[in-house]
Amino acid sequence: MKKKLLCLLMTATLALSMFAACSNSKSGKKIGVAMPTKDLQRWNQDGANMQKELEAAGYDVDLQYANNDISTQVAQVENMINSGCKVLVIASIDGDSLGTVLDMAKEKDIPVIAYDRLIMNSDAVSYYATFDNYMVGTKQGQYIVDTLDLDNADGPFNMEITAGDPGDNNALYFYNGAMDVLKPYIDEGKIVVKSGQTDFATVATAEWKTENAQNRMDAIISKEYSDGTNLDICLCSNDSTAYGVANSLSANYKGEWPIITGQDCDKLNVKNMIAGKQSMSIFKDTRTLATKVVEMVDAIMQGKEPVTNDTSTYNNGKKVVPSYLCEPVFADKDNYKELLIDSGYYTEADLA
Ligand code: BGC
């Protein structure tokens, strides 16, 4: 008898919680969110913010991380399509590898939002939301110009360049943005890249991996800077590569600590910034991006046109994808408290 009662009670509780879940969600409208990897802090934050905001707006969320493995991401997206997701939000691992699976989405009229990274060579991409990637690069370059007062200083200053993953469409934008600012100084000889490694393919970092950036810098330091020559500038496209470069310098380099740029304001890198081991990082508030993308999803679900602010820059090889570009800002040791702590992005304890 007791058992029966307990069983009834459990069934009723389950039914109630299912009812609550259903009435809270927009009648079971599921959104698929595909993120590249849990290895990098930013994607964990992006995924968590997207999930939180989509659920608050009443959607069900299928959030997947693909361990930086392309075939895993393809399988996850296929599964989202087959399990009834109404919109797909995808931060791709490799911009060129999703064309076939996205053809399936197109056949089923499922809109696709490319999140942060553009998905290439597919006409199934409906919208793109990101931070202005070219501006990320120009801000890194301008930081170097301003900090060294390059227009007035004599120089020459030695610089080495570490860029991102060639499979990520953003990486070239970051590199081009920074190089467009710095190239005139290289041309006039005020900045010297001693290794001679300047073109994107040579300075790129496979998978944005810290250890790959570190190994390359180890080789450069032992060849060019082990005799005590100063290295003044390390232009690094993001924080995972900046971290590898700083590790390499800590282990191998005896000269004055250079300017090191970065991007993402990952906790480890902000700690390095506070410790004087990284000069700046571009802050891309993942909350802002998540909010924008949720607005896009909501507009699509209501049959409205999402707001975009750039309809010319991002050609993915098949079409110019209407985009919303958020504005990045730079953080350094002077403004990080205001940007990162006062805004509630991090707590003091996160950075201790
Ligand atoms: C993102 C960066 C990130 C990098 C490595 C890029 O696509 O825009 O914020 O640092 O990928 O994950």
Side-chain angles (χ1 to χ4, degrees):
M1 187 64 188
K2 255 190 180 169
K3 254 189 185 169
K4 255 192 179 170
L5 250 176
L6 197 68
C7 205
L8 260 173
L9 207 70
M10 278 170 67
T11 319
T13 321
L14 191 70
L16 259 176
S17 62
M18 275 171 70
F19 175 74
C22 285
S23 59
N24 197 19
S25 74
K26 288 192 173 156
S27 57
K29 284 181 182 166
K30 192 165 65 162
I31 311 299
V33 180
M35 288 284 145
T37 174
K38 285 197 159 186
D39 285 354
L40 242 70
Q41 187 198 319
R42 74 151 293 183
W43 303 114
N44 292 283
Q45 279 168 244
D46 284 281
N49 286 334
M50 282 296 301
Q51 178 158 34
K52 194 169 103 196
E53 294 212 16
L54 281 169
E55 284 176 355
Y59 295 101
D60 294 329
V61 180
D62 182 1
L63 169 64
Q64 301 290 337
Y65 287 87
N67 204 14
N68 255 342
D69 181 58
I70 296 169
S71 55
T72 304
Q73 187 165 60
V74 171
Q76 288 172 340
V77 171
E78 189 170 345
N79 191 47
M80 287 170 185
I81 294 168
N82 291 330
S83 69
C85 286
K86 299 287 186 250
V87 178
L88 300 178
V89 178
I90 304 173
S92 58
I93 295 167
D94 179 297
D96 266 307
S97 306
L98 293 169
T100 312
V101 72
L102 291 192
D103 287 345
M104 286 171 59
K106 200 178 173 200
E107 260 167 46
K108 293 197 172 188
D109 282 331
I110 303 172
V112 175
I113 301 175
Y115 184 96
D116 193 86
R117 298 171 171 173
L118 186 58
I119 298 167
M120 305 304 288
N121 296 312
S122 164
D123 61 1
V125 186
S126 323
Y127 300 99
Y128 179 37
T130 190
F131 282 84
D132 187 327
N133 295 304
Y134 182 80
M135 194 191 282
V136 167
T138 58
K139 291 206 165 173
Q140 291 171 332
Q142 197 56 46
Y143 181 89
I144 291 167
V145 171
D146 294 343
T147 307
L148 291 175
D149 191 17
L150 282 185
D151 290 325
N152 298 306
D154 291 334
F157 298 98
N158 291 328
M159 175 170 89
E160 297 299 336
I161 306 164
T162 305
D165 182 358
D168 176 355
N169 186 58
N170 289 354
L172 193 58
Y173 279 90
F174 302 145
Y175 168 87
N176 282 338
M179 289 306 271
D180 284 351
V181 175
L182 297 173
K183 190 153 179 304
Y185 301 97
I186 297 176
D187 290 346
E188 83 178 89
K190 206 171 258 188
I191 292 180
V192 176
V193 181
K194 276 203 88 198
S195 67
Q197 300 181 19
T198 52
D199 68 293
F200 177 73
T202 313
V203 301
T205 308
E207 290 179 57
W208 293 98
K209 274 203 172 145
T210 297
E211 63 182 275
N212 294 342
Q214 185 167 343
N215 291 339
R216 182 171 157 268
M217 193 46 73
D218 283 349
I220 291 177
I221 289 179
S222 92
K223 188 150 181 272
E224 310 289 348
Y225 301 93
S226 57
D227 62 355
T229 303
N230 262 341
L231 171 57
D232 305 291
I233 310 159
C234 291
L235 170 68
C236 299
S237 283
N238 86 328
D239 278 355
S240 57
T241 55
Y243 203 72
V245 165
N247 286 346
S248 173
L249 292 173
S250 293
N252 307 307
Y253 172 71
K254 305 277 176 292
E256 266 173 60
W257 199 261
I259 292 176
I260 302 182
T261 64
Q263 160 180 208
D264 293 337
C265 287
D266 281 350
K267 284 180 205 162
L268 284 175
N269 297 76
V270 180
K271 286 182 188 175
N272 260 1
M273 222 154 70
I274 296 166
K277 287 186 153 192
Q278 181 170 326
S279 318
M280 62 87 85
S281 183
I282 298 291
F283 178 45
K284 305 195 298 190
D285 193 328
T286 52
R287 296 169 300 188
T288 312
L289 187 56
T291 304
K292 275 296 153 207
V293 175
V294 171
E295 282 170 18
M296 277 184 164
V297 169
D298 213 32
I300 293 171
M301 294 296 280
Q302 292 180 40
K304 294 182 194 155
E305 194 59 37
V307 177
T308 53
N309 62 7
D310 184 307
T311 49
S312 62
T313 307
Y314 288 99
N315 188 329
N316 79 346
K318 285 278 163 73
K319 65 190 266 197
V320 176
V321 184
S323 306
Y324 191 93
L325 310 184
C326 307
E327 195 173 320
V329 294
F330 81 83
D332 65 5
K333 66 176 185 337
D334 297 326
N335 71 359
Y336 82 91
K337 278 197 174 147
E338 188 188 332
L339 275 180
L340 303 175
I341 296 178
D342 297 352
S343 77
Y345 198 73
Y346 290 141
T347 60
E348 294 264 10
D350 285 333
L351 304 177

